[in-house]
Structures are given as structure tokens and as C-alpha cells.
Amino acid sequence: MNTDTLLPFDLPAVRRKKLTVDFEGGNQSSDAGLLLLREAERRLGVCRRLADAMPDRRDPDRILHEMFELVMARTSAIACGYEDAIDHDRLRHDPLMKVAVGRHPQSGAPLASQSTISRLENAPSKTEAARLAVALLDQFGTTVKPGRMEILDIDDTFCAAHGGQQLAFWNAHYGERGFASMHIYHVASCTPVAAILRPARTPNGTEVCTVIKHVTQRLRKHWPNTRIVWRGDSHYGRVEAMEWAEDNDTDYIFGLPGNAVLDAIVAKTADDLRFHHAQSRQEKVRTFASFTYRASSWKRPRRVVARLECSLQPDDGGATSTGMRQEVDIRYVVTSLKGSAQHLYENVYCRRGQMENLIKLHKAQLASDRMSCHSATANQVRLAFHTAAFWLMHAVRAAIPQTDPLATAEFATIRERLIKIGARVIEHLARIRIQLPTSCPQGALFRTIALGIMPSAP
């Protein structure tokens, strides 16, 4: 062990009894990155916020584990890759997990077991689970500093159900039952705004409008002078959502399914594009169009942006001598924003592709698709814990110097390089020392992050 890279961490309280340390026993951990998660929590307070929002109906005289300790242990375990509650039967004795929740690593009592964690997830009611979602929304509103205009991405992702979980719905596209959790992310900071459990079906207009309405109204309490823009694909371009946004000083840019009327409007533009593509030597030729359109279900006309792209595609029918045929692909977007058609489509709408990467971090690398509880309310609580773990991992990554390749790495890579590090824990009378291995490749970076992420306040 390299004693030159000792990291000191103060104990919550100074003990008077001298401790005898067993270097061959329970003073070692394979998750040294729990220290980074601990400092991220001290800076953000996301687990503390969730703990304050969760109900605690236990007898105060018989409580062994405070609510914050339960939430912090569960969230830290998810960030470390332990997505199942049964993992806590072993983690409850981990010295660094104890340090992360605020207990002494060796003299402190063991943490909560799997049964206690499971009761934690199943304790809240439907209303109380909604309060957790609001708490995470407040976490975002108070943490992120907004500008004059901020874009929020909204989308859903399929999560398979394995059992008789409530809200599980058959999805013909995926050929199995599951959920379609709705995710909302802030574009500029790449931080989560909300995560909502829902059946695996396309959201209707009332559902989309309800979510946009409540999230916008809550955010305006924190961002009174910021104009909010909602961005999503055609599933979220519902007339109810657009009408509410227009009536409440909110902007939007949504995908719009094509139809015969829209195709007829851009038919001449498409013919001109075919001609220019035939005259050019480029593989693909693009053009854009902007016009006012009013669908039969709309009360008012709205601006529609069309992207037309002409290219050569294989002719499977053999109608052409060259085996290739000219094809025009047309995509439509409906928006309340101003600007050129090309700018709105390429620089505003198309950048929603980053949303897929953020969902992957949440779903695949933090295992938020592990909806193993029977109750839909309990699964929504689990979704809140996974979102809190996203906040902690995001804070750790944000503390990495921008010159380091890990500054843009995925959570799985950060976990492998910075979380899954062996460490020796030495508990003294008034201080805890953490020793990293001498051969730790990221030792210097680990120390830089640990010192940089510490909150300025004591």
C-alpha cells in the first residue's frame, strides 16, 4: 500500500476508546470510489432531499437505521453496480459503505440488510412516491443555474417486465410485456429532471400535457425568468401539449408524423430537389422548407419545418437499368420557435439524439430497468433511487479535469476506473485514513477528484 496517498476523512464523532485494527479482516473494501460518492452527496444533498421526502412510520425508539442512511446506502450501491437489494446483505459490513453513510468503518454497527431495504422501497404510498419525483425535480431546479432559455428533452424507453408487475403492458414492437419509463433531461447540463414509470404504450395527449404542465410549473418556482423549451419526437407532439405551451408562455419543438396533406405542400420542393440531385455528383442533397399548417384537430395554425433529403437507394423491383432509384426522405417538425428552417431542424431538433445516450446511462449503466418489485409504486421509488445515483455519478464525472479522457467517459467506465478500486481502511481515534494500492493507475486522479469535489462548507 502506498502511504503517500493517504486520504483523511473526519469521523462524525470522536470516540474515547482506542480501536484495535485488524489488517487481515474487515478493514478492506473493493469500492474505494464510495468516498467520491460520499463527497458528491455532501455537495449535492440529493439523498438527503429524498430521505426528507420519504415517510418514516417507524417507532423512533426502535430505529437502528436513519432514513438518510438507508437512502444513501441504496443509492451508493446502485452507483457501484449493486442494483439488487440482496447485495446489501454483504455491503452492510463494507467499511467504506459505512463511511459513505456516516458511520465508523469498524466500530460502527452494520448497515441495513436486504429485508430493510426492500421495506424501504415498498413503504411509500402512491402520493408519497410522487413526492419523491417532485423532490428530484426540486433538486434539479436548485442545482442547475439557468440561462434565459433552457431546453428540456422528453422521451421514453422500453424496459422488459419479468413477472407479474403492475403497469406492465404488452408492446407489439418489442414482442413482450414491460414498461415505457418517461425520462426528462436538461440539455445544457445533461442532468436528469424527472423519471416516471408508465406502461409500455405510446403516451396520449392528456398524459403528455399533464407531465409538461406540472414540470414547467414546478421549475418556474426556481427559474422565474427562464423561458423553457420542450423537445421530443412525434410521440410527444400532441395538440393538448402544444396548446398548453402556447397558452402558458412556453416553447416547443416536436416531431410531426407525415401525411398526404403535408407531402402535397412540399411536393414542388421535392421535385426541385430531385432535379438538383440528378445534376450534382453528391451522394445526398438536402433542402429545407418552412410553412404554416393547421391539422383538422388543431384550433390554430402552427409552423411546420420540413427536411427533405434526396439520395439513391437500391431498386429491389428492377424497374431501373442501373439498379438504383432516386428517393426523397421527408421529415417534419412542428415548433413555436423562430429561426431558419435549417437551423431549427439541424441545430435544435436533431441534437435531441444526445437524449438516447443519457437514457443509456440511466437504464443500461445504472440498471434502472431492474423493475423487480410487484408494486408499481415500489418500482417508481426504485426509479427515484436510480435517478439519485445518476446525480452522484454525474457529479463525480463533472469533478474530473477536462484535460483527462475520463471527463467525457460513460458511467460504466468511470465505475471501472474510479469506483472499483481496492482500499485499506484504518480507523484511528479521531480520523479515518484510506490507503489506495501503490499500483493504482488512477491514484493521482482519484486524489484530485476527492479534493476538488469536497464542498467548501464544513
Side-chain angles (χ1 to χ4, degrees):
M1 309 297 280
N2 184 3
T3 57
D4 294 333
T5 59
L6 299 183
L7 298 177
F9 289 88
D10 294 335
L11 289 171
V14 177
R15 295 178 296 106
R16 297 180 179 179
K17 182 180 179 181
K18 187 176 181 180
L19 177 70
T20 302
V21 180
D22 178 16
F23 287 93
E24 301 299 331
N27 70 322
Q28 298 178 0
S29 174
S30 60
D31 297 305
L34 283 166
L35 299 176
L36 304 180
L37 300 176
R38 172 182 182 264
E39 295 307 311
E41 165 58 25
R42 292 180 63 190
R43 176 182 289 269
L44 295 174
V46 58
C47 294
R48 180 71 65 181
R49 190 183 294 271
L50 287 181
D52 293 339
M54 293 195 70
D56 194 350
R57 304 180 182 89
R58 300 174 294 174
D59 184 354
D61 297 331
R62 305 180 64 182
I63 291 178
L64 299 179
H65 311 284
E66 298 294 335
M67 185 61 67
F68 169 74
E69 295 178 339
L70 297 176
V71 176
M72 182 62 186
R74 184 70 180 110
T75 302
S76 300
I78 293 172
C80 291
Y82 306 107
E83 63 270 13
D84 294 321
I86 196 172
D87 294 320
H88 286 265
D89 284 341
R90 178 177 60 84
L91 294 175
R92 64 194 300 244
H93 302 288
D94 189 291
L96 286 184
M97 181 64 78
K98 292 181 182 180
V99 172
V101 304
R103 292 194 177 187
H104 296 81
Q106 291 180 288
S107 61
L111 302 178
S113 62
Q114 175 270 329
S115 58
T116 304
I117 296 297
S118 295
R119 286 193 294 268
L120 172 72
E121 297 173 344
N122 286 271
S125 63
K126 184 177 180 180
T127 302
E128 293 163 345
R131 291 174 184 168
L132 296 181
V134 174
L136 289 172
L137 185 56
D138 291 337
Q139 175 70 34
F140 165 74
T142 56
T143 303
V144 177
K145 295 182 179 180
R148 296 177 57 187
M149 177 180 290
E150 298 295 343
I151 301 177
L152 301 181
D153 275 332
I154 182 170
D155 203 353
D156 53 74
T157 180
F158 180 80
C159 302
H162 304 283
Q165 284 94 339
Q166 295 176 352
L167 285 188
F169 196 81
W170 175 262
N171 188 290
H173 177 75
Y174 293 95
E176 55 184 329
R177 297 172 68 253
F179 311 96
S181 301
M182 185 181 296
H183 292 252
I184 303 175
Y185 289 90
H186 179 230
V187 173
S189 63
C190 297
T191 52
V193 180
I196 305 170
L197 184 70
R198 52 179 305 280
R201 60 189 179 204
T202 302
N204 57 36
T206 302
E207 182 180 1
V208 175
C209 180
T210 300
V211 172
I212 289 178
K213 172 184 175 181
H214 287 291
V215 172
T216 302
Q217 291 178 344
R218 191 74 182 186
L219 279 182
R220 281 180 174 164
K221 296 181 179 180
H222 306 285
W223 298 356
N225 302 318
T226 298
R227 191 170 185 87
I228 297 175
V229 180
W230 286 93
R231 184 171 67 181
D233 60 16
S234 58
H235 290 169
Y236 295 89
R238 305 296 183 178
V239 61
E240 295 88 346
M242 292 186 289
E243 288 180 353
W244 186 91
E246 292 164 346
D247 295 337
N248 291 271
D249 198 28
T250 303
D251 287 313
Y252 60 84
I253 180 166
F254 295 125
L256 184 67
N259 55 46
V261 177
L262 292 173
D263 293 342
I265 294 176
V266 298
K268 185 178 183 305
T269 304
D271 290 339
D272 293 340
L273 184 65
R274 290 189 182 94
F275 175 78
H276 288 294
H277 178 261
Q279 296 295 321
S280 69
R281 297 182 178 180
Q282 299 180 14
E283 182 179 352
K284 296 181 180 179
V285 176
R286 272 190 178 188
T287 191
F288 299 86
S290 176
F291 52 90
T292 301
Y293 169 73
R294 179 180 176 180
S296 59
S297 60
W298 294 0
K299 297 181 180 179
R300 66 191 77 171
R302 295 182 172 89
R303 184 185 184 187
V304 173
V305 171
R307 187 274 287 163
L308 299 88
E309 183 177 270
C310 187
S311 61
L312 292 178
Q313 300 295 330
D315 184 15
D316 298 332
T320 60
S321 58
T322 60
M324 303 292 288
R325 58 183 175 83
Q326 228 181 17
E327 183 176 294
V328 177
D329 178 64
I330 308 176
R331 302 295 174 90
Y332 299 99
V333 170
V334 58
T335 181
S336 62
L337 298 173
K338 297 180 180 180
S340 66
Q342 182 175 359
H343 169 74
L344 290 176
Y345 187 85
E346 291 186 339
N347 299 331
V348 180
Y349 180 74
C350 285
R351 292 190 177 182
R352 61 173 294 274
Q354 176 65 11
M355 176 76 168
E356 303 295 334
N357 295 326
L358 299 178
I359 290 179
K360 181 177 70 172
L361 295 179
H362 198 291
K363 173 184 173 182
Q365 300 187 18
L366 292 177
S368 64
D369 59 342
R370 188 67 66 92
M371 304 296 177
S372 56
C373 295
H374 169 72
S375 168
T377 303
N379 284 326
Q380 175 62 47
V381 174
R382 291 178 66 115
L383 204 56
F385 291 155
H386 286 272
T387 304
F390 190 108
W391 273 103
L392 297 183
M393 292 294 288
H394 184 275
V396 171
R397 185 173 66 178
I400 300 175
Q402 293 301 310
T403 56
D404 193 283
L406 289 181
T408 57
E410 295 183 337
F411 288 168
T413 303
I414 293 177
R415 180 188 298 126
E416 179 182 352
R417 302 285 185 86
L418 295 173
I419 304 297
K420 296 297 182 180
I421 298 177
R424 174 179 292 173
V425 184
I426 305 174
E427 181 178 339
H428 296 288
L429 185 63
R431 177 164 294 192
I432 300 172
R433 290 185 178 272
I434 313 300
Q435 292 181 333
L436 300 182
T438 305
S439 59
C440 178
Q442 306 296 336
L445 178 61
F446 189 98
R447 183 181 180 88
T448 301
I449 298 173
L451 297 177
I453 204 174
M454 286 182 180
S456 56

